[in-house]
Amino acid sequence: MLFHKNHLIHYLIILSIIALGIGSVILLSSNKNLQLILVLVVSLFYLCYGIFHHALEHDVTIKIVVEYVLVTLLAVALFIFVRGGF
Amino acid sequence: MMVRDMISFLRHLFIPHDSNNYRSKLLHHKSLFVLFLLVVIFSSFTISLRQSAPQVLGVATNITPQDLLLTTNQKRTENGLAPLALSGKLSSAASSKAQDMFVKDYWAHNAPDGTTPWTFFQLIDYNYIYAGENLAKNFNDSEGVVNAWMASTSHRENMLSARYDEVGFAVVNGKLSNEETTLVVEFFGKEQTLQGQAPTTGASVPPEILPTPAPVTQSLVAGVTNTPLIDSTALTKKVSIFILAILILAFILDMIYIERQKLVRLVGHNIDHILFLAGAILFIIVLGKGVIL
């Protein structure tokens, strides 16, 4: 039960950061450079969060880190693709 | 046979089983890396195509003063107000304001040097009793601009004010903060007919020293209309959302199957990835939306 409660807290944290990021992207819609920086910060946070989440469960491995890196890179690449470059 | 092969291939891609080592093939490191490389290659290709052949792949824009006037007056009529007349003088002032924003590189009602919108009214000798300004940038069509203004209380007040009887528009393309931008400036006004009537703007007082007018290269009736063969904004958004949705689906199917089978694997948390990728979809949806001021 405690295990699930901890998971829920972790998911709520990432959900809050993503919601905060989206809100900020809307607020910063007049500055595309700041939007990009914000997306990079949220993505970096996600990567660190993922590794930390697994570290807490004592199952962090290179394979898992690579998985989070690839998912993060893919999302960032798609964002830059839509943005039309850096 | 073909259908069976296709089903088998999709199962291999999305459903964990022995052929993919109990992890959806699409979620393997190799697949994610290949997908990432494809996005980078396709992205580079579209960026170079946008620069070399904007008539083939470019941002589709259709904003004209005529459409803006028509839609504005439509909203006014719906609200029981008299339609506004298109003023050449106000359109000229609006063009000067747009040029000023590009030359001085700002996105605001007042310029960094303190120039207010009312300065541009004075430059064309428009002796207003009432004056107002609405700004918009990076919209794709006239209706989007007017709808965004109508959704904002202060802009709506200008749009539906009985104090104005004239309006002028400028739709100008240029570079703002080094980015290609389509600016829309809407100037409202009511010209002074009686001597001694004090002007009202509800904002700052016009400065005593007026700057040199910026050159107006924009035709008063011209807008920004660009109809490439493929709209790059729609294309990139659709492709990105499709890729992200497919990945989310793969993570969901993978998670459901593994939960049901009670299998233990050393992989990342699928819910983490689903939340992050869903967030990425929302980021992409809100990216590139027009802004009003």
Side-chain angles (χ1 to χ4, degrees):
Chain A
M1 190 63 192
L2 184 68
F3 173 80
H4 286 295
K5 201 181 264 183
N6 282 342
H7 268 297
L8 189 66
I9 291 167
H10 290 149
Y11 295 141
L12 282 176
I13 289 171
I14 191 68
L15 207 60
S16 308
I17 293 296
I18 290 169
L20 201 70
I22 291 166
S24 307
V25 162
I26 294 170
L27 284 175
L28 294 170
S29 50
S30 60
N31 192 327
K32 285 188 175 180
N33 293 332
L34 271 180
Q35 275 188 331
L36 178 64
I37 291 169
L38 196 78
V39 166
L40 292 177
V41 168
V42 171
S43 301
L44 196 65
F45 174 86
Y46 169 72
L47 181 60
C48 298
Y49 152 88
I51 296 166
F52 182 69
H53 194 169
H54 282 276
L56 283 178
E57 291 169 12
H58 309 290
D59 67 351
V60 62
T61 62
I62 284 291
K63 200 182 157 201
I64 286 174
V65 172
V66 171
E67 183 179 313
Y68 277 88
V69 168
L70 286 170
V71 171
T72 307
L73 278 177
L74 191 57
V76 170
L78 286 169
F79 185 84
I80 291 169
F81 171 52
V82 174
R83 196 178 174 273
F86 282 101
Chain B
M1 195 64 184
M2 278 278 285
V3 176
R4 190 175 286 178
D5 284 349
M6 182 60 85
I7 291 170
S8 172
F9 176 67
L10 287 175
R11 205 174 73 150
H12 182 64
L13 271 186
F14 289 98
I15 310 292
H17 63 116
D18 52 3
S19 81
N20 53 29
N21 200 20
Y22 295 95
R23 175 73 158 166
S24 308
K25 182 66 186 170
L26 201 60
L27 307 179
H28 285 206
H29 289 179
K30 202 175 159 187
S31 308
L32 290 172
F33 184 66
V34 168
L35 207 52
F36 167 70
L37 279 184
L38 286 174
V39 169
V40 171
I41 293 166
F42 192 54
S43 185
S44 310
F45 172 71
T46 54
I47 290 166
S48 60
L49 191 64
R50 272 174 68 164
Q51 283 163 355
S52 59
Q55 71 282 4
V56 177
L57 186 71
V59 180
T61 314
N62 184 16
I63 307 175
T64 61
Q66 291 90 336
D67 285 345
L68 289 168
L69 178 72
L70 195 77
T71 323
T72 300
N73 280 339
Q74 221 166 33
K75 302 287 178 194
R76 286 178 67 89
T77 313
E78 282 167 14
N79 286 276
L81 291 154
L84 298 169
L86 185 66
S87 158
K89 281 170 87 176
L90 287 182
S91 294
S92 172
S95 289
S96 298
K97 165 69 189 234
Q99 296 292 344
D100 193 62
M101 284 200 278
F102 283 127
V103 171
K104 295 176 189 165
D105 197 20
Y106 69 96
W107 163 247
H109 288 297
N110 295 332
D113 62 5
T115 307
T116 67
W118 328 125
T119 308
F120 301 97
F121 286 73
Q122 292 191 320
L123 287 176
I124 47 131
D125 292 323
Y126 190 92
N127 297 314
Y128 58 85
I129 307 169
Y130 300 109
E133 178 192 59
N134 279 354
L135 299 175
K137 70 170 183 173
N138 292 338
F139 280 87
N140 297 112
D141 53 55
S142 307
E143 208 180 336
V145 175
V146 173
N147 286 341
W149 280 332
M150 286 298 284
S152 150
T153 314
S154 57
H155 296 88
R156 187 186 162 90
E157 265 175 35
N158 268 343
M159 301 275 293
L160 302 180
S161 173
R163 295 182 301 184
Y164 308 125
D165 57 10
E166 290 185 312
V167 68
F169 299 98
V171 187
V172 190
N173 262 349
K175 279 202 167 185
L176 212 60
S177 300
N178 249 344
E179 282 169 11
E180 277 301 329
T181 307
T182 303
L183 281 179
V184 181
V185 179
E186 184 180 40
F187 273 176
F188 299 93
K190 184 179 176 70
E191 205 160 16
Q192 201 167 0
T193 48
L194 297 170
Q195 290 294 317
Q197 221 172 339
T200 309
T201 59
S204 51
V205 179
E208 287 173 19
I209 304 162
L210 302 180
T212 314
V216 179
T217 53
Q218 179 79 1
S219 157
L220 293 184
V221 288
V224 171
T225 308
N226 185 29
T227 44
L229 203 62
I230 304 163
D231 179 11
S232 62
T233 309
L235 175 80
T236 54
K237 278 195 175 189
K238 279 176 188 167
V239 168
S240 299
I241 290 170
F242 177 76
I243 292 172
L244 289 167
I246 290 288
L247 278 177
I248 290 174
L249 179 70
F251 277 119
I252 290 172
L253 290 174
D254 183 82
M255 187 175 67
I256 292 170
Y257 185 85
I258 293 304
E259 276 294 317
R260 278 191 180 168
Q261 300 297 314
K262 301 284 176 210
L263 292 173
V264 178
R265 299 169 310 181
L266 205 57
V267 293
H269 293 296
N270 280 10
I271 296 180
D272 283 353
H273 298 318
I274 292 164
L275 290 176
F276 179 64
L277 296 176
I281 289 183
L282 292 175
F283 270 111
I284 285 168
I285 288 172
V286 299
L287 184 74
K289 291 260 182 207
V291 192
I292 56 166
L293 189 70

